[in-house]
Amino acid sequence: MTTSAAVVGCGDVSVVHFEAITALGIRLVAVVDTEPAGLQRAAAVAPGVPGFASVAEMLAAIDQGRLERPDVVHVTTPHHQHAEPTLALLAAGLHVIQEKPLANSLTAAQSIVDAAASSSARSGICFQNRYNASSQALKQVLEDGELGELLGGCASVVWARTPDYYQARPWRGRWDQAGGGLLINQAIHTLDLLQWFLGEPTEVAGSAATLRYRGVIEVEDSANAWFTHRDGISSTFVGSLTNAVHRDVEIEIYGSQGVATIADGLHLRLADGRTREVPERRAASGGRSYWGLSHQLFIEDFHARLDDAEPFWIGPEQAMASMRMLKAVYADSFPGSHHQ
């Protein structure tokens, strides 16, 4: 079935959404950006597509019959601009794909969860790394019990950032807009995978700090955490944006019968000597390589399931798990602050 889409927010991450929309043959019927420069960028990749300065303007055009009603609206705005358009779109009964995180605060995030639960529209949150070949393979390994009794896990996100990265988009370094730094912006995908593999934590202890970029940003550039999952299984997380280069994101899951490691593919080592490798997919994109490889798979799956009776499998409620994890680390690191 051919579907149609609109894109709200024409900044950096919108690139991969525009690419997927084109590759999948989805008709783009509208773009929205509050800044004229954003609409100009959109016009370069989607010439002739109607542009609007707000979601309200787009909805008015739909109501007045001046614009085709899109099947799905992709919300790719900065963190602090997630809730307002998503709430308006769900209230209008429009299906929504929204970029992570769910919002910049737990309060705003919960408002999206509540709106989605009461709306007839479907909603999906872009945790596209669940579609990576390595993630899918590890999930199956765990469901098949190949690792035996689960003992725990470990994950790391050690990347590089520069002052220019924050100066180009100042909201990235502000608590009131980004809602945090490393954990909510870069490591949230890894936290989501940890809880998808091991279950949402029941206990969180952690520390977040600004080490390299003090004076440049308010938010953290480094963090570590310890999570207790179901049945007392624990995991360790280490992350930093202070490195000279990007290292591969790594996730290890330990079991009584082996170890599974995600690091540019899945590497399985079993106690009986057997090994297995699952290579990661490769995909050319104008987006950044560390965004993962599977935006298109996520978008294709969401558009294909619009008629399903069940909610989409990565919706706002599922996206709250990683939000609760990272905000718990902030609460542990900055007691009494507004950063939770």
Side-chain angles (χ1 to χ4, degrees):
M1 179 181 71
T2 300
T3 54
S4 62
V7 174
V8 177
C10 303
D12 293 349
V13 77
S14 69
V15 170
V16 290
H17 287 259
F18 284 125
E19 288 178 346
I21 287 167
T22 299
L24 295 169
I26 298 167
R27 290 183 299 106
L28 185 63
V29 299
V31 293
V32 178
D33 201 294
T34 57
E35 298 180 1
L39 291 178
Q40 290 173 2
R41 285 191 296 270
V45 297
V49 174
F52 300 89
S54 68
V55 168
E57 285 188 12
M58 182 185 73
L59 293 176
I62 293 171
D63 290 342
Q64 295 163 10
R66 295 184 288 110
L67 179 70
E68 175 186 346
R69 183 180 176 89
D71 294 311
V72 180
V73 182
H74 296 232
V75 177
T76 63
T77 52
H79 299 180
H80 61 295
Q81 297 172 6
H82 281 177
E84 184 177 355
T86 295
L87 293 175
L89 293 164
L90 290 174
L94 286 164
H95 304 305
V96 177
I97 286 176
Q98 185 205 286
E99 271 294 334
K100 62 77 190 169
L102 193 51
N104 61 335
S105 72
L106 284 174
T107 300
Q110 187 61 49
S111 72
I112 295 175
V113 173
D114 295 341
S118 61
S119 175
S120 60
R122 300 172 65 77
S123 52
I125 310 300
C126 283
F127 283 103
Q128 73 279 354
N129 287 350
R130 291 197 193 186
Y131 287 79
N132 288 355
S134 55
S135 303
Q136 294 277 317
L138 177 49
K139 185 69 170 177
Q140 192 62 54
V141 164
L142 296 175
E143 290 180 354
D144 291 345
E146 284 192 83
L147 293 184
E149 179 184 357
L150 292 184
L151 305 176
C154 181
S156 67
V157 177
V158 179
W159 286 353
R161 284 293 183 269
T162 67
D164 289 346
Y165 169 80
Y166 298 103
Q167 290 160 1
R169 301 285 189 273
W171 67 266
R172 294 168 173 161
R174 294 179 54 177
W175 282 108
D176 65 336
Q177 296 187 350
L182 160 77
L183 290 174
I184 200 169
N185 201 6
Q186 286 83 26
I188 190 170
H189 286 293
T190 304
L191 299 181
D192 175 67
L193 289 177
L194 263 184
Q195 68 85 28
W196 190 43
F197 296 144
L198 298 177
E200 183 174 352
T202 57
E203 183 180 353
V204 177
S207 177
T210 312
L211 303 180
R212 183 171 183 176
Y213 295 116
R214 297 173 185 175
V216 178
I217 58 176
E218 301 173 352
V219 298
E220 87 283 0
D221 60 19
S222 303
N224 60 79
W226 179 73
F227 302 109
T228 302
H229 304 266
R230 61 175 179 262
D231 302 323
I233 298 168
S234 68
S235 66
T236 299
F237 169 83
V238 177
S240 184
L241 300 176
T242 65
N243 209 37
V245 297
H246 287 305
R247 295 181 70 250
D248 286 335
V249 171
E250 294 187 0
I251 300 176
E252 284 195 333
I253 305 296
Y254 312 110
S256 60
Q257 299 301 313
V259 177
T261 303
I262 289 178
D264 190 25
L266 176 66
H267 314 274
L268 183 64
R269 306 186 304 279
L270 298 177
D272 61 9
R274 288 180 297 146
T275 63
R276 189 159 77 247
E277 306 285 324
V278 178
E280 196 50 82
R281 286 183 292 268
R282 293 288 179 263
S285 171
R288 300 187 183 104
S289 60
Y290 51 76
W291 286 341
L293 308 168
S294 301
H295 262 97
Q296 183 170 320
L297 293 176
F298 177 100
I299 291 167
E300 181 178 25
D301 195 25
F302 185 88
H303 278 256
R305 295 189 187 205
L306 293 181
D307 294 329
D308 284 4
E310 295 298 318
F312 189 66
W313 73 290
I314 315 176
E317 182 58 50
Q318 290 71 37
M320 277 295 285
S322 56
M323 281 290 293
R324 286 188 283 260
M325 291 168 73
L326 64 92
K327 289 295 186 178
V329 175
Y330 293 153
D332 210 19
S333 305
F334 314 107
S337 75
H338 63 277
H339 302 329
Q340 295 91 341

